[in-house]
Structures are given as structure tokens and as C-alpha cells.
Amino acid sequence: MTEASGKLMATATSPSRMADFDLTSEQQTVRRAVREFAEREILPFVEEHETAERYPAALIEKLIPLGYLTPIIPERYGGSETDVVTYGVICEELARVDWVVASVVSVTNSLVAGSIVRFGTDAQKEKWLPGICDGSVLTSACLTEPGGGSDLAGIQTRAVKTGGGWRLDGSKVFISHAAHAGVLLVAATVDPGQRHRGVTTFLIDPTLAGVEISDIPMRTLKRDNLAEIHFDGVEVEDTAVLGKVGGGFPILGAALDMGRFSVAARCIGQAQRAIDLTVPYATDREAFGQRIGEFQMIQQKIADMICRTEAARSIVYRLGRMKDAGVERCTVEASMAKLMASEAATTNALDAIQIHGGYGFSSEYEIGRLLLEAKSLEIGEGTSELHRKLIAEHALGLRGQ
């Protein structure tokens, strides 16, 4: 890297110049520690895992002794029990180098273990949380179905009452971490005609008879081993119900509130990675007798990349501060954060590829991979169209928090 490129990175994209003015010194220390760890222990292996379609189990194990796997789970169960903003910083810095490792942290804390903490019985907490915190039990959230993902009130997986518990039948698709999980958070309905009033959540052992997990061939995120799951007459006890029968929709709403926060934080990490890869390239690459970073159109793209990333980061941290202040439901703010951050990640990747030119599609450069991964984040945890609908309906008085 040239002297000029180092100067550019120090003034535009280094941690000391991010929107961190509201972070405590402890939170800033966490950012530096996670970034150093991620670059040293995770980044060198990401492309290798993607090419081999190998799930990064060994990398996930490295999170455990550092407290990065379960940062918002209570200490009494083995978690780190930090604040929400710090949790977001951890997700952001991990996602800056690897979408999949960061996804493990996000799904575990925001969706599965977090839901058990908020809505589980004492017995459920004692059964699942210690193993989740020590890494012996990975988690997976099974929400999306073949017929649709964003319409959770329209879930078709059926849960029918039996003498000793419940029988589940149905399918889920595009499920992260399922093939490696020790517990599945499954959304089903006890009555499709009741829409959201019939939705019920279950904690299911994936080794039970009738649970079939198979890989989905993907063009991207091959190391995630995304799966399709079939539940064929799966028998579970009443103790598998998380919360109340027919009370799953509020549980999912609370989980997705936090889930959209952590996904948005991950999107910021990916948006930042696009900047960190592009600034030195534009500084070093020459065309027409000068560095391409000296062309005004290239400068405009880089300026836009930085501005949209900082704007998204600010609203994500604001959402985290609201959570830390005890605001239970932040539906609109969560939609705003997820929408802005996911689209910033995709647009940054597009601009970065344009600046890299043909090299943006070379396997020697990671920027091409970032584009497909970023685009997937516009779809997961609610599409951009869904979030625009939620935000607009709230502004028009058609929907509450």
C-alpha cells in the first residue's frame, strides 16, 4: 500500500473515524479487539471455506472463549451479558470479514437463545441455554417456508394436538445453520384460519424422528450450508412449546426486532468492507497516466459509499441505544435500520465492483463475493419492500408499533 493510500484510509475508513463518538471507551475497545481477532483468525479462511462449501465450525469455536458467541445472554447461563450496542459492534466487525460466522452470533442471540431468555420457562432455560453458551448446542431459526418468507401470519407448517403433546408437519427453506444445530426454533400454526393468532413457536431437537434436513444448492454462501427442512409427523411434548399456544406471533415480533438490529449491524460491516477494499485499490490503480482515485467520478462513488455507510451506522446504533434504554418494541426503527443498512451494503458492493472493473469479478478479489452476500441480506429478515411498507403504514397511521 502506498503512503497516499494509507493516508486515505486513516482519514476516511479507520475505526477512529467511524460514527463512534457515542461509543464508550469499553465499546471502542471491543470494536478493536473483535476486528483484530476477525482479521487474524477468520479472514484468512473465508474464501477457502466458500470454495470447499465447508461450514466454518472450527472458526465458530474460536468465538466461545472470547465471549463473542453469546454476548447478550445472561452470565448465569454462561453468556457474556453485554449491552445491545456492544452486541451490534460484535456482529458488525465479524460480518466485515465473514457473513456466516456473524450469522451464527446473530441467529443465536437475536432469534433463538434471546427468545428462550425472554419467553422460556425455567426448565427450558436450564435445558438449552448452558449448552448454547458453551458452544455445544448451535441454533437455527426455522421460519421461511416454500410458499413465502415475509408473511409469517401465513405459516403453513401445522401443529396438531395429540394426547401427549403435538405433531408437526410441514417444510422450511433457506434455513441457516440447520444441519449443524442442536436446537431448532420452529414457527408453526395450530389453525391456519386464525392467521397470526394461530402461530405457535416450538423448540425442537433436530435428531427427533421425522425431521429431515437436506442441503439447498446455492450460487453464494455455499459455506453456510443453507438447508431445507421437512417435518413429517414429528412428535414433541407440551414442554417444547415456547410461550403460549397461539402466542407465537409476539415472540417472533420481538425476535425479529432484535434480529433486524443484528442483521443491520452485519450489513454495516459488509458496507464498510467494500470501502476498505476499494479505497486502497483506487489509490494504487493507475489509468491514463494517473491514479484512478484522482478521477472525480471515482471520488464521487467513494464519497457516496462512505456517506451511506455512516448514515446507516448512525441509525443502527440509535436502535441499539433504544434497546439498551428499555424500549421493548422498536418495529419502525428496526425496519428503518435494516432497510438502510442492507441497501447500503449492496450499493457499496456495486460501486466497489465498478471501481475495480474486471478485477471485481476475479476470484483473486473478494469484492465480487460481497455483492451476492450483501444482496441476500436485503431479503433475509424481511425484504426491502416489506420494510418500506411497514415504515409507510406507520407514518400514515395504518399500523402501530
Side-chain angles (χ1 to χ4, degrees):
M1 185 183 302
T2 66
E3 180 181 355
S5 67
K7 188 178 297 182
L8 253 178
M9 292 191 69
T11 57
T13 65
S14 67
S16 63
R17 293 296 296 173
M18 293 179 185
D20 287 2
F21 56 86
D22 59 340
L23 297 186
T24 65
S25 59
E26 289 81 5
Q27 289 166 339
Q28 292 173 359
T29 298
V30 169
R31 178 189 291 287
R32 288 191 294 270
V34 178
R35 176 168 291 199
E36 291 171 3
F37 162 79
E39 290 187 344
R40 182 182 66 251
E41 301 291 342
I42 299 176
L43 182 59
F45 305 100
V46 176
E47 293 290 350
E48 174 187 333
H49 283 92
E50 182 68 9
T51 301
E53 301 183 21
R54 183 169 61 247
Y55 190 74
L59 303 183
I60 295 167
E61 290 181 4
K62 296 181 179 181
L63 302 174
I64 301 167
L66 300 174
Y68 298 157
L69 179 61
T70 51
I72 59 172
I73 307 305
E75 289 183 354
R76 64 180 177 275
Y77 301 111
S80 304
E81 198 169 3
T82 189
D83 59 271
V84 176
V85 173
T86 299
Y87 167 49
V89 168
I90 293 171
C91 290
E92 176 185 347
E93 290 299 331
L94 290 175
R96 179 177 164 273
V97 302
D98 188 15
W99 191 101
V100 176
V101 171
S103 174
V104 172
V105 177
S106 178
V107 170
T108 296
N109 292 268
S110 293
L111 300 182
V112 184
S115 295
I116 297 173
V117 170
R118 289 189 292 272
F119 301 101
T121 63
D122 289 341
Q124 288 172 330
K125 293 174 184 177
E126 292 298 335
K127 178 179 181 179
W128 296 114
L129 292 178
I132 292 173
C133 290
D134 69 21
S136 60
V137 178
L138 295 183
T139 69
S140 181
C142 306
L143 309 182
T144 302
E145 297 189 342
S150 295
D151 182 14
L152 291 177
I155 283 174
Q156 296 300 305
T157 297
R158 289 297 308 273
V160 177
K161 192 73 178 75
T162 64
W166 297 86
R167 185 181 71 251
L168 272 68
D169 293 274
S171 298
K172 305 289 182 178
V173 292
F174 303 118
I175 307 302
S176 294
H177 319 301
H180 308 272
V183 60
L184 309 175
L185 174 67
V186 180
T189 180
V190 297
D191 183 358
Q194 291 292 312
R195 294 284 290 171
H196 67 275
R197 293 183 180 87
V199 175
T200 304
T201 49
F202 294 84
L203 297 171
I204 294 181
D205 183 339
T207 63
L208 289 175
V211 179
E212 180 182 346
I213 301 175
S214 55
D215 289 343
I216 299 178
M218 300 290 291
R219 292 190 181 275
T220 186
L221 293 169
K222 295 181 179 181
R223 65 193 186 282
D224 191 10
N225 298 163
L226 286 164
E228 182 174 8
I229 306 178
H230 296 285
F231 301 97
D232 184 10
V234 178
E235 301 280 349
V236 298
E237 298 179 355
D238 286 325
T239 54
V241 175
L242 180 64
K244 298 179 180 179
V245 174
F249 207 69
I251 293 175
L252 296 179
L256 290 173
D257 245 22
M258 187 65 83
R260 286 161 183 165
F261 167 75
S262 57
V263 167
R266 287 158 50 198
C267 290
I268 295 172
Q270 288 214 302
Q272 185 64 51
R273 183 64 177 169
I275 297 171
D276 294 346
L277 292 171
T278 301
V279 168
Y281 182 86
T283 303
D284 293 340
R285 176 73 170 172
E286 292 188 1
F288 302 100
Q290 66 185 79
R291 295 169 179 169
I292 65 171
E294 296 175 12
F295 291 109
Q296 287 185 341
M297 284 189 289
I298 299 297
Q299 293 173 356
Q300 178 183 343
K301 288 185 181 298
I302 291 174
D304 288 346
M305 291 169 70
I306 293 169
C307 287
R308 71 173 64 99
T309 302
E310 287 299 310
R313 181 178 281 116
S314 295
I315 197 168
V316 173
Y317 286 7
R318 174 196 174 202
L319 175 59
R321 292 196 300 273
M322 291 176 68
K323 289 290 187 182
D324 282 329
V327 180
E328 182 61 27
R329 291 296 297 274
C330 310
T331 304
V332 175
E333 292 80 6
S335 286
M336 292 168 61
K338 199 276 179 177
L339 174 66
M340 287 184 63
S342 63
E343 294 194 346
T346 300
T347 307
N348 274 17
L350 284 168
D351 283 348
I353 288 177
Q354 191 70 23
I355 292 171
H356 279 75
Y359 289 110
F361 299 99
S362 169
S363 60
E364 296 180 12
Y365 290 75
E366 69 180 90
I367 196 65
R369 174 173 56 79
L370 289 186
L371 175 60
L372 289 175
E373 294 182 1
K375 190 62 180 178
S376 72
L377 288 167
E378 283 191 47
I379 297 171
E381 298 279 357
T383 63
S384 293
E385 291 79 7
L386 171 68
H387 290 299
R388 284 191 167 89
K389 174 180 170 63
L390 293 175
I391 295 164
E393 287 182 348
H394 176 76
L396 295 167
L398 302 176
R399 177 188 293 268
Q401 279 278 16

